[in-house]
């Protein structure tokens, strides 16, 4: 890769960390990764990347639209409970969100390891087909228990899709542009928070919650057609095995990267989960302002995502250091100033930007430190981010329950970002020590 700054010890080239005799440097700032796809024209390359990003857009909508439609779902699927205790019914409907997240956590490593030998285009087609089936079933099944199972099914391909799609995009972009390829795929997820989720929520409120899942089904059907038409076929790797893929769990740097993602990124969700009561009860704004605050978050996320792709192609380590540091400072600013309208809008935008900046850099870091087990490592990123979702929401809820107010989750977010930053510093320190030992 060509750098815009002098190569330092922190940016030296890595080899397999299991080989004690070879020089070892930080894997995150190299072009070690999927072999570039060179025989594809420019037009088809970008059509393929757009097809992969469309899948990311669909995932963003199906993951987050449920949150905005919980009362509608509870009223329809749990009418007895809702008529007596709406809050309890809404809380029970929240299990649909948890079921999807559980599907992500379980499906990401399982599918990526089991299908290690598959051609990546074939695997993408299967994964998107599961999305179509899961969301269609979510829209038509009659009972809460069956819809719960459908949401679990819908979550299973989430992590594996982003992992494999990121590897394909990195191959399409080629050396020196891998992180930008990853960021283009994740841009679909970011843009979903700006356009898709508000649109799906509006459609679900006006035409019934089932129509939102039907909309997502159509998005994934279009994604399936686009992938079949645009993504180039490459044979699978016959030497790849589940055993080799699972060896990724023996690598310390993979674990450290997953931990920093689970904890550091949890700082985002500590704030995001409780944004509605902050808008209405703390800033004193109308509930109709909540979607616009979420749009600000999505716009920031989109901008941070693209900026991170450009920066991470120069140095993943520096991009992560800057992103996690900025996330902690933004959460602190939110805690101090979100009681005012300007403070609320500015700092939710910045938190979204930091979230968008972290994700492609973490994805690229995992692809690099995993060496020859990239499929499962790339998929694990989204398992760790969903764990971060749960951790941030849980700890933020504890702070509110303890009586510290709706801004206290932002203080929790500061702490989580600081812990994630400490884990990153430890990981980079290990890289540096290994490089010095090798030299």
């Amino acid at each position: 890769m060509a750098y815009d700054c002098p190569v330092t010890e922190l940016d030296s080239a890595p080899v397999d960390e299991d080989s004690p005799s070879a020089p070892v440097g930080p894997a995150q700032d190299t072009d070690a990764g999927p072999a570039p796809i060179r025989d594809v024209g420019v037009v088809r390359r970008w059509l393929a990347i757009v097809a992969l990003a469309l899948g990311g857009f669909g995932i963003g909508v199906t993951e987050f639209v449920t949150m905005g439609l919980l009362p509608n779902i509870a009223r329809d699927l749990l009418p007895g409970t809702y008529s007596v205790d709406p809050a309890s019914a809404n809380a029970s409907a929240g299990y649909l969100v948890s079921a999807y997240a559980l599907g992500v956590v379980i499906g990401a490593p399982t599918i990526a390891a089991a299908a290690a030998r598959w051609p990546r285009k074939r695997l993408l087609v299967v994964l998107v087909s599961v999305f179509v089936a899961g969301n269609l079933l979510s829209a038509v099944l009659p009972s809460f228990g069956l819809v719960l199972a459908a949401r679990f099914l819908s979550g299973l391909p989430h992590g594996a899709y982003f992992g494999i799609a990121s590897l394909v995009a990195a191959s399409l972009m080629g050396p020196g542009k891998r992180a930008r390829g990853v960021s283009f795929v994740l841009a679909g997820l970011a843009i979903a928070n700006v356009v898709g989720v508000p649109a799906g929520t509006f459609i679900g409120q006006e035409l019934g919650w089932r129509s939102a899942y039907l909309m997502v089904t159509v998005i994934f059907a279009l994604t399936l057609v686009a992938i079949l038409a645009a993504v180039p076929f490459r044979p699978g790797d016959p030497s790849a095995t589940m055993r080799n893929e699972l060896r990724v769990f023996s690598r310390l740097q993979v674990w450290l990267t997953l931990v920093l993602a689970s904890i550091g990124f949890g700082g985002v969700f500590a704030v995001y989960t409780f944004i509605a009561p902050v808008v209405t009860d703390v800033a004193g704004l109308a509930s109709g302002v909540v979607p616009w605050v979420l749009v600000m978050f999505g716009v920031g996320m989109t901008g941070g995502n693209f900026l991170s792709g450009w920066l991470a192609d120069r140095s993943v380590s520096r991009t992560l250091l800057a992103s996690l540091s900025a996330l902690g400072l933004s959460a602190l600013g939110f805690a101090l100033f979100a009681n005012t309208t300007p403070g609320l809008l500015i700092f939710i935008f910045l938190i979204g930007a930091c979230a968008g900046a972290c994700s492609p850099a973490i994805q690229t870091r995992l692809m690099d430190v995993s060496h020859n087990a990239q499929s499962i490592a790339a998929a694990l990123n989204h398992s760790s981010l969903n764990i971060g979702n749960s951790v941030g929401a849980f700890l933020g809820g504890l702070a509110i329950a303890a009586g510290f107010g709706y801004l206290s989750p932002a203080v929790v977010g500061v702490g989580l970002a600081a812990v994630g930053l400490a884990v990153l510093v430890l990981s980079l320190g290990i890289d540096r020590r290994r490089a010095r030992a090798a030299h």
Side-chain angles (χ1 to χ4, degrees):
M1 174 192 296
Y3 290 86
D4 285 351
C5 57
V7 177
T8 67
E9 186 178 63
L10 187 61
D11 298 319
S12 55
V15 296
D16 193 331
E17 65 186 40
D18 295 333
S19 173
S21 61
V24 179
Q28 74 274 15
D29 292 343
T30 73
D31 272 327
I37 299 175
R38 303 182 185 277
D39 58 343
V40 176
V42 174
V43 173
R44 187 177 181 187
R45 177 183 297 115
W46 283 106
L47 287 175
I49 289 175
V50 170
L52 298 172
L54 180 61
F57 179 84
I59 292 173
V61 178
T62 195
E63 181 176 18
F64 294 112
V65 75
T66 305
M67 300 173 186
L69 295 173
L70 281 184
N72 307 73
I73 296 172
R75 190 183 303 113
D76 185 31
L77 294 182
L78 301 168
T81 305
Y82 192 88
S83 63
V84 176
D85 187 355
S88 178
N90 288 334
S92 297
Y95 290 133
L96 296 176
V97 178
S98 300
Y100 183 93
L102 181 62
V104 177
V105 173
I106 294 175
T110 305
I111 295 173
R117 295 185 180 183
W118 287 28
R120 286 171 177 165
K121 179 175 181 177
R122 182 182 302 169
L123 180 54
L124 287 171
V125 168
V126 171
L127 293 172
V128 176
S129 298
V130 175
F131 275 126
V132 172
N135 283 279
L136 181 59
L137 291 172
S138 299
V140 301
L141 289 174
S143 69
F144 179 77
L146 291 175
V147 174
L148 190 72
R151 295 314 297 156
F152 175 79
L153 175 65
S154 300
L156 286 173
H158 177 126
Y161 177 87
F162 273 124
I164 300 302
S166 295
L167 292 172
V168 173
S171 297
L172 287 165
M173 294 298 291
K177 299 179 181 179
R178 294 176 311 120
R180 270 170 280 185
V182 174
S183 73
F184 282 127
V185 174
L186 296 176
L189 179 63
I191 294 171
N193 283 279
V194 181
V195 180
V197 175
T201 302
F202 176 79
I203 290 173
Q205 290 173 340
E206 295 297 318
L207 303 179
W209 64 269
R210 296 180 185 275
S211 63
Y213 291 125
L214 288 175
M215 181 190 81
V216 178
T217 303
V218 172
I219 293 173
F220 282 121
L222 294 174
T223 301
L224 183 60
V225 173
I227 288 175
L228 286 169
V231 174
F233 179 85
R234 290 295 181 274
D237 182 2
S239 65
T241 65
M242 180 179 289
R243 180 179 179 182
N244 286 339
E245 288 290 318
L246 292 177
R247 285 186 64 202
V248 75
F249 291 108
S250 68
R251 300 186 184 279
L252 175 62
Q253 291 290 33
V254 170
W255 280 108
L256 290 175
T257 306
L258 292 174
V259 169
L260 79 87
S262 299
I263 297 178
F265 207 79
V268 174
F269 290 103
V271 177
Y272 186 84
T273 302
F274 303 101
I275 190 64
V278 171
V279 173
T280 56
D281 295 9
V282 177
L285 302 174
S287 59
V289 177
V290 174
W292 294 105
V293 175
L294 297 180
V295 167
M296 287 294 292
F297 177 88
V299 171
M301 190 175 183
T302 304
N305 177 77
F306 284 116
L307 179 62
S308 175
W310 183 79
L311 292 174
D313 277 326
R314 284 146 180 81
S315 175
V316 176
S317 58
R318 295 187 182 96
T319 303
L320 280 172
L321 287 168
S323 299
L324 286 171
S325 299
L327 174 59
L329 292 174
S330 299
L332 178 60
F334 188 92
L336 295 174
F337 301 110
N339 59 329
T340 68
T341 301
L344 172 66
L345 296 177
I346 290 171
F347 286 104
I348 197 64
F349 172 86
L350 291 176
I351 290 172
C354 294
C358 284
S359 190
I362 293 171
Q363 184 84 74
T364 307
R365 168 78 174 170
L366 274 172
M367 287 162 55
D368 288 337
V369 299
S370 63
H371 300 293
N372 61 346
Q374 294 195 354
S375 295
I376 188 171
L380 282 169
N381 181 38
H382 296 276
S383 291
S384 64
L385 296 183
N386 273 268
I387 292 173
N389 186 344
S390 300
V391 169
F394 175 73
L395 294 179
L398 287 181
I400 294 173
F404 294 111
Y406 285 120
L407 290 180
S408 61
V411 179
V412 173
V414 175
L416 291 173
V419 174
L421 184 62
V423 174
L424 175 61
V425 170
L426 172 63
S427 177
L428 297 180
I430 292 172
D431 278 339
R432 182 176 284 117
R433 188 173 69 249
R434 284 176 174 165
R436 287 173 179 166
H439 288 301

